[in-house]
Amino acid sequence: MDHRHAIAVVTFAMALLLTAGGLALLSVIWWPQRDRRLALLLTASLLLGAARLALAQPVFTERSVWHYIDQQVAITGVIAQQPDRRDDRQTVVLEVESIDPGNGPQPAEGRVLLRLPPLPELRYGQRLTAEGRLEQPRSRGSFDYRAYLARKGIHVLMTQPRMTLAPESGGAAWQATLLRLNDQARRTSLHLISEPHASLLVGILLGVQSTLPDEVREAFSITGLTHILVISGWNITIIVVGISGALAACGVGRKRAVGCSLPVIALYVCFVGVSPSVVRAAIMGSLAVLAVLVDRESDAWTSLLVACVVMAIADPNVLWDIGFQLSALATAGLFAFGRLIEQRLTAWRPLQWNGSRWMIEPLTATLAASALTLPIIVYHFGRLSIIAPLANVVILPVVPYAMLFGALATAAGMVWMPAGELLALLAWPFLEWMLLASRWLARVPGASATLPPFGAWWVWGYYAIIAAMWGWRRRESCRASPQLQGESA
């Protein structure tokens, strides 16, 4: 099937799905029986979602770089996002503008993944020419690397090409400026204190794990602490609370102070990189801010649903992103089970002592989030962290202080390095505790277990049971409380 037939098939399928989805959506409005509307709404969502997914499928044309696989070519384009840098390499996503297969340059389109040496360090927006052989990505064992890259719009790669940088650059100037600041913040953080504390600081502040030593990364994986190294809602909350608190202290009104955090959230997302977990947290944080501005109460479930729907509409492939799945499920677990788990822990006699009550919050967060993320983690990574609840209780309370003093030290260091080094001394004890505790707990016999591979239907079965239990408990709560029953209706 050539590209014209492929376009025709996709267009017809999309039109059919849009028509059926639109009719189902109209039926939701006009159907007289209220108990049928939910089924119609779900049907409309599935049909319209399938239409959006069909629209997102790549259609290759004569200008696609896909047609030059296994050929020696020279490609010219612009770096489309901040490169992923490691100690021994860097990977670059190049948005191709032209290609030269040997008979002269001609217009081309598509994205190519370049595997390059670590130096010189490249950055977003640079224009370059790479000469080498275009290859099709190959899967690595059970990991479908080809499908992983395809969901990012990448279907070809080039390994160790000859590279020539052009003097002019492309991309958005404002984004290039923010990403240069990100690079400067990363370099500054790495020079403030010694390793591995510096790399850990970069991880918790910027979500960059490439410089973390393997033994630290392994310790965090065994103890179930890798979520600390991912930008999440915690970072967004700190931004909103910090900005609104500082402005309120200067006499600015509450609404205006909170509203000022909206553009900062947008800039922060571009600063740290547009990953699914960051975008999800940013959308939910922005909705909470908007609720304050319009004097409405923010509903957690509605915010999560809106964030996921907006992200899925913008890019349906995000639904297969493991980071998005874990971020959304962890948040849903906190909403669904957080209060129940907290009540059970509060009633537990060992935690009723004043000296141990501080453990309730981190333990609640860990257990509630794990209730929904555990099957995905075990299915994809095959490792179950037995010691994760204890590790989170021991380490989570110090993370905010490490982030606070680390951020202050980095900001000061970008202006004057000695001031940053002085402030970094305040962050060092908390970073040291995180490193020591993760290493000690990782050495505990039986800290984690490696499980054999299992089918995806086990994961779906687990979620079906959890959903049924949650629905049954919700129904019982509504029956017991007339107020909840009214809200449910």
Side-chain angles (χ1 to χ4, degrees):
M1 181 184 295
D2 61 25
H3 73 278
R4 293 185 181 87
H5 291 156
I7 293 175
V9 169
V10 171
T11 303
F12 175 76
M14 188 174 61
L16 188 63
L17 290 168
L18 281 173
T19 302
L23 291 174
L25 194 59
L26 288 174
S27 300
V28 174
I29 301 173
W30 297 107
W31 198 271
Q33 298 172 335
R34 297 183 62 182
D35 57 343
R36 303 283 180 87
R37 292 181 183 176
L38 179 59
L40 288 169
L41 183 60
L42 291 175
T43 302
S45 300
L46 288 173
L47 291 170
L48 294 174
R52 179 64 184 91
L53 183 61
L55 180 63
Q57 298 308 304
V59 177
F60 302 111
T61 67
E62 291 91 345
R63 298 174 59 178
S64 299
V65 292
W66 169 269
H67 296 294
Y68 298 90
I69 284 181
D70 295 330
Q71 294 186 36
Q72 197 78 15
V73 298
I75 55 175
T76 301
V78 175
I79 299 176
Q81 59 193 46
Q82 196 74 332
D84 180 16
R85 302 186 183 93
R86 308 285 169 138
D87 290 337
D88 57 343
R89 68 186 186 279
Q90 60 180 328
T91 54
V92 173
V93 177
L94 190 72
E95 191 74 45
V96 178
E97 297 174 334
S98 64
I99 188 168
D100 184 359
N103 54 358
Q106 49 192 291
E109 58 187 20
R111 289 188 166 192
V112 176
L113 183 73
L114 305 179
R115 294 173 175 167
L116 300 169
L119 295 174
E121 283 194 357
L122 301 176
R123 64 178 185 274
Y124 165 83
Q126 286 184 304
R127 180 172 275 105
L128 60 85
T129 298
E131 299 179 47
R133 186 180 184 85
L134 289 176
E135 304 172 3
Q136 190 172 14
R138 294 183 176 87
S139 297
R140 304 170 179 175
S142 60
F143 177 58
D144 195 344
Y145 186 57
R146 183 183 302 177
Y148 169 78
L149 289 180
R151 288 194 289 270
K152 299 179 179 295
I154 302 170
H155 301 275
V156 288
L157 56 84
M158 188 181 285
T159 303
Q160 301 296 331
R162 293 187 298 274
M163 184 185 67
T164 305
L165 281 173
E168 72 275 8
S169 60
W174 62 270
Q175 188 172 358
T177 301
L178 286 173
L179 291 177
R180 277 197 295 271
L181 285 174
N182 179 287
D183 259 352
Q184 185 181 353
R186 177 179 61 87
R187 293 192 182 97
T188 301
S189 298
L190 291 175
H191 285 87
L192 291 175
I193 46 179
S194 59
E195 290 289 359
H197 303 75
S199 292
L200 179 57
L201 179 60
V202 171
I204 63 177
L205 285 182
L206 304 176
V208 178
Q209 304 179 33
S210 57
T211 57
L212 268 178
D214 290 338
E215 55 99 8
V216 174
R217 189 182 290 110
E218 179 68 9
F220 272 66
S221 176
I222 291 174
T223 53
L225 293 169
T226 51
H227 61 90
I228 294 175
L229 306 173
V230 177
I231 305 297
S232 63
W234 181 254
N235 304 70
I236 303 297
T237 301
I238 290 176
I239 290 175
V240 175
V241 173
I243 292 176
S244 58
L247 292 177
C250 297
V252 179
R254 177 172 176 266
K255 284 189 178 181
R256 184 174 297 178
V258 172
C260 289
S261 61
L262 281 176
V264 180
I265 290 175
L267 292 173
Y268 179 75
V269 170
C270 298
F271 178 75
V272 299
V274 188
S275 67
S277 60
V278 174
V279 174
R280 193 273 312 158
I283 293 175
M284 293 187 66
S286 300
L287 289 174
V289 171
L290 289 174
V292 173
L293 296 179
V294 298
D295 293 321
R296 297 290 298 271
E297 186 176 350
S298 177
D299 181 75
W301 283 108
T302 302
S303 299
L304 178 60
L305 178 62
V306 169
C308 293
V309 169
V310 169
M311 294 177 67
I313 291 175
D315 180 15
N317 291 311
V318 77
L319 297 174
W320 285 267
D321 186 274
I322 298 176
F324 169 78
Q325 294 172 4
L326 292 177
S327 176
L329 288 172
T331 306
L334 291 172
F335 296 161
F337 307 111
R339 183 175 299 178
L340 175 64
I341 292 175
E342 184 179 13
Q343 291 172 352
R344 297 291 188 270
L345 292 176
T346 304
W348 191 32
R349 186 175 296 276
L351 295 180
Q352 291 179 350
W353 176 53
N354 290 335
S356 61
R357 295 185 69 85
W358 62 271
M359 294 189 292
I360 293 177
E361 184 176 349
L363 195 55
T364 297
T366 302
L367 296 176
S370 299
L372 294 185
T373 59
L374 194 59
I376 299 293
I377 294 173
V378 175
Y379 177 75
H380 285 287
F381 306 109
R383 171 176 283 174
L384 174 62
S385 177
I386 310 297
I387 207 166
L390 176 61
N392 279 272
V393 167
V394 171
I395 291 178
L396 275 185
V398 307
V399 174
Y401 301 102
M403 292 178 63
L404 173 62
F405 294 123
L408 292 175
T410 300
M414 292 172 69
V415 178
W416 189 41
M417 185 61 73
E421 292 173 344
L422 186 62
L423 286 171
L425 296 176
L426 299 175
W428 188 90
F430 303 105
L431 296 169
E432 176 70 4
W433 173 249
M434 294 168 65
L435 290 167
L436 286 177
S438 61
R439 288 167 179 161
W440 291 339
L441 294 172
R443 297 192 189 106
V444 173
S448 68
T450 302
L451 302 181
F454 54 88
W457 65 274
W458 282 99
V459 178
W460 287 110
Y462 175 90
Y463 286 125
I465 293 173
I466 289 292
M469 292 174 60
W470 183 80
W472 175 82
R473 183 178 176 277
R474 178 75 176 174
R475 185 180 303 173
E476 292 298 314
S477 299
C478 289
R479 288 176 180 174
S481 173
Q483 182 179 357
L484 279 177
Q485 191 170 2
E487 292 176 1
S488 176

